[in-house]
Amino acid sequence: MTPLSHTRSAKRQWAGGLTVFAAVMLMIAGVLDICRGIMAIAEDDVFVTTRDYIFQFDLTSWGWIHLILGVVALIVSFGLFTAGTWARVAGVAIGGLLVIANFLALPYYPAWSIVMIIVSGFIIWALCVVRPDDL
């Protein structure tokens, strides 16, 4: 085994690991977003109602937004296990939409929104750092 092939093998393992990491994290984020959406649609008492917030939406609307994003995130996460380019692009897009949705939902559930923004940031990073020729 030459040093060059060993380097390529290590890069391939690193890239594959990051893609699987992103897929699993996106799957977890999707499931949690589905649960969050169901809670909001049911108008659970978990959410705080904030007055005088510029981006004020109905709790049921937020529920549907999070439910749809969660379902799409789950579908894309399954695609990431195949290491398809379409899934990586869609994963970055869904990660970005999750960041935006959780930022806008900060007043309703601040701690969880911050956690989801951080998780989505790691998903985007993991999908962007891997080059197609590394896989």
Side-chain angles (χ1 to χ4, degrees), residues 2-127:
T2 65
L4 183 59
S5 65
H6 179 68
T7 304
R8 285 186 184 158
S9 175
K11 276 186 172 181
R12 182 165 284 142
Q13 288 176 348
W14 178 252
L18 279 176
T19 304
V20 170
F21 168 79
V24 170
M25 292 304 290
L26 190 60
M27 186 181 295
I28 291 169
V31 168
L32 292 174
D33 230 25
I34 289 171
C35 293
R36 183 179 188 175
I38 291 170
M39 286 187 313
I41 291 169
E43 296 188 15
D44 199 353
D45 293 335
V46 173
F47 297 96
V48 177
T49 54
T50 305
R51 296 182 301 136
D52 301 328
Y53 181 54
I54 292 175
F55 302 113
Q56 189 170 6
F57 296 100
D58 180 39
L59 190 57
T60 305
S61 301
W62 274 120
W64 283 108
I65 290 169
H66 284 286
L67 183 67
I68 291 168
L69 281 175
V71 169
V72 173
L74 266 179
I75 292 168
V76 171
S77 71
F78 288 122
L80 283 171
F81 285 113
T82 65
T85 303
W86 70 268
R88 288 181 53 222
V89 171
V92 171
I94 292 299
L97 290 174
L98 286 172
V99 168
I100 292 168
N102 282 293
F103 174 76
L104 293 175
L106 270 170
Y108 302 104
Y109 209 33
W112 187 248
S113 293
I114 291 170
V115 169
M116 290 302 292
I117 289 170
I118 292 168
V119 167
S120 298
F122 277 120
I123 292 167
I124 293 170
W125 171 79
L127 292 174

